[in-house]
Structure formats: structure tokens, C-alpha cells
Amino acid sequence: MKIVIAKERRASESRVAASPDVVRKLTAFGFDVAIEKDAGVGADVTDADFKAAGATIVADAQALLKSADVVLKIQRPDAEEIALLKKGTVIIAHLSALSEAKDMDALAKAGLTAFAMELMPRISRAQSMDVLSSQSNLAGYKAVLDAANEYGSAFPMMMTAAGTVAPAKVFIMGVGVAGLQAIATAKRLGAVVTATDVRPATREQVESLGGKFLTVDAEMEKDAETDGGYAKQMPPEYFEKQKQVVAEHIKKQDIVITTALIPGRKAPILVPKEMVASMRSGSVIVDLAVEAGGNVEGAKLGKIAVSKNGVKIVGHENVASRLARDASQLFAKNLLNFLTPHVDQENKTIEFDWEDETVSGTCVVRDGKVVHPMLSKGK
């Protein structure tokens, strides 16, 4: 069985869906691993590194994809890549399945089998396969560094002979994996950190990291989480109250980092232009949801916007990719952990257990059809 890793071709993508360590493990299973030439350059992994781990380096991308039995990718394949894959090829990647229905239809029409790793069930056994968590963790860390880079003052309190520098006040909106790492990183840098989330269970997590939890409405927040651990879409009255509570708090903040995402939906606006206008000149907002429409009014994908009152709104695209080496290693390990239980070592093949929750929960396309229940055609 041939496992192929091609170079990522979508904009702002520096990651690669393999690491030398993962290649070693795949070749130890008896698989033929082939990697496109220079696929790892953006993640500081050389062809020599992959070759030393047991992979074959292939310069011809078209021939590489045509020969694949399994394709490991970071992001979903584009139309040109799909056209090169033979019927029955397995694709495992972050497919953005809930928002890119046309691409899922194209995968089905081509007769491919596709697994969307972003749909991995939130169960204990699947934690090591969860690409959203591994990548969001890095994004939360990088968001704080990006904020510190744009902020014109220091983060920690500094007591000097010339006077005292007050610590930065950092407010995290959305306490998922990215938010928790942002809290931890900001605390390490010496900031005073507050955070809010619609899920009340996150209060203890925030406080365990040294942050202070900002409650909006304790009663409504009791029913704000799905069984799978994701945030629910909240009613309009909740967001109205949230605006009032946050509006007063945000005026005093130096740094705001927003991380709120709802699977398959446009990101909710948490910081409207009125709140931006209330902040001090030189304050910084980092919008980690900018690719899903953004949590901040005025955020621009791939740019740093500056409001009329001098607030910087950072909207970097694909933040995890800005830490490409670590992000690639973690993503590749997630893929390996997903595949390993289904490896038939005697026959050197992969035989998926379709009753396995991690398989059925991520399979989007199979036998020429879109099959996932969260997509309309799978219902």
C-alpha cells in the first residue's frame, strides 16, 4: 500500500502532513511512503530528513498523486489534485467539510473515500487524533506572541528606579483549547488575565491557570454546551447581555484575543465597532476566528487593521501554520494515531473498522456518496 504526502498548495499554508518520526513508523508497518519534493520546506523539514526516515522523494507531483492508495494532507485537495487521484483513493485531512459542501460533492463524484479530521468525535480515546486541539493549542500560544509584538508596552509589571510599569491587561474571549493556551501564555508573560466563555464549566479551567472568569449570565450558560463539548448557538438575548458586560470590561483592556467558533457556522461577532471605539489607542485585538468571518467587527483576513482610534486588529490567516514545524509534527502524529488501530500488519494494508466511532465520525465521503450525517446529503 502506497501512502503519499503531497506539497500543500493552498494559500498561506506552510505545514506538511508528515514528519520524519511518523514516516519511520509508517514504513515500519510495511507501507511504501512517497513524499513530493520540497513538501516539507515550509516546516523546515528537508527532503534528506524524509529520505533518511525511509520515504521516497518524488519530483513529479502528478505521477505521485496518480500512484496513491492513501493521501495524507493538511488541507482538502483542490480540483486539480482530485482529478489526478484514482477511484478508491483514501484522503485524510482537514477538509472543512461543513463549510465546503461543493468540494465534498467533488470528492464523492471522483469515487474517493475521504475522512475529515476536524469532525473527530470528542471522546477520550480520540484525543490523540484531534487535529483541532493540536493546532488550536499552537494558535492560542502564537496569538499572544502576535499581540505582544504589536503592543507598544511590556506585558509584566516592572519596578525600576525610574518608576513602575503596570502589567498588561489581557482579555480572552472563548475558552476552548486556543483560549486556554492563550491564558497560560499571557500569564507566563506576566499579564493580568481575564476570560469569558458561554460554557460555565470553563470557569475552573480559567482559574486553574491563574485567570479570572468574567460571567455574563449564569442561568443561560447552564445550557450552552453540546454533548460533544462544543459551544451551542446562543439566543439573541444572551448576546445582548454579553455586549453589556463585555463592553464595560473591554474599555479597560490592553489586549483582547477572540477565539469563538461554532462548527459549520459563521463566527459570532463578539467585539462590535462600538467596543473597538471604546478601547484606548495602542490596544491590540487578535481575532483567531477571522477565517470563519471573524469575532471582531473591522477584522480583515490576512491583515492588521487599525481603527480610527488607534486600536490594532490582528487578523492573521492560518495561525497554526505560522508555527509550521511544530504544527506539522503534531498534525502528522494525529493522522498516525488515527490510522494505527486499522493497520493490518500481516497484509501491510489499512482495513478501516466502520463501526469504530473515530472512523464513522470522520468519514464524509464513501462509495460515491457524501455520507456524514452533519452534511445535508448524508441525512
Side-chain angles (χ1 to χ4, degrees), residues 32 44 113 138 145 160 162 231 242:
D32 178 11
D44 300 320
T113 297
L138 291 171
L145 299 189
T160 75
Q242 182 186 56

Side-chain angles (χ1 to χ4, degrees), residues 12 287 289-293 298-304 314-318:
S12 302
D287 190 344
V290 68
E291 290 177 283
K300 296 181 179 179
L301 181 61
K303 297 182 179 180
I304 298 175
V314 180
H316 289 311
E317 187 175 359
N318 197 356

Side-chain angles (χ1 to χ4, degrees), residues 47-232:
D47 290 342
D49 292 333
F50 281 133
K51 190 172 182 180
T56 301
I57 306 302
V58 179
D60 187 337
Q62 293 190 356
L64 178 70
L65 288 171
K66 286 179 180 179
S67 68
D69 296 308
V70 176
V71 177
L72 303 182
K73 284 184 60 64
I74 298 291
Q75 298 200 43
R76 67 190 185 283
D78 59 25
E80 292 182 5
E81 291 173 307
I82 291 172
L84 293 169
L85 298 172
K86 64 192 178 189
K87 186 176 180 180
T89 300
V90 173
I91 298 174
I92 307 172
H94 186 304
L95 297 179
S96 300
L98 298 182
S99 59
E100 301 297 339
K102 289 184 179 178
D103 287 352
M104 300 307 103
D105 289 340
L107 293 171
K109 187 176 180 180
L112 307 175
T113 297
F115 294 92
M117 293 298 288
E118 74 274 13
L119 300 181
M120 185 64 65
R122 290 296 179 92
I123 56 177
S124 297
R125 183 168 57 85
Q127 287 180 357
S128 66
M129 312 172 196
D130 189 349
V131 299
L132 292 184
S133 291
S134 71
Q135 304 304 291
S136 293
N137 187 57
L138 291 171
Y141 164 79
K142 185 64 172 174
V144 176
L145 299 189
D146 287 337
N149 188 57
E150 298 300 329
Y151 184 50
S153 299
F155 262 52
M157 175 183 283
M158 296 183 181
M159 301 180 72
T160 75
T164 300
V165 175
K169 295 177 181 177
V170 178
F171 181 38
I172 312 298
M173 302 184 74
V175 190
V177 174
L180 288 169
Q181 183 56 247
I183 292 167
T185 303
K187 286 296 293 183
R188 289 189 198 107
L189 291 178
V192 174
V193 183
T194 53
T196 189
D197 193 286
V198 299
R199 298 165 296 171
T202 60
R203 175 188 289 273
E204 291 183 8
Q205 296 172 314
V206 170
E207 293 174 348
S208 72
L209 293 171
K212 182 178 179 181
F213 191 81
L214 183 70
T215 301
V216 173
D217 187 307
E219 192 62 33
M220 279 194 276
E221 288 170 355
K222 287 180 180 178
D223 190 36
E225 189 173 344
T226 68
D227 292 338
Y230 295 100
K232 283 185 179 178

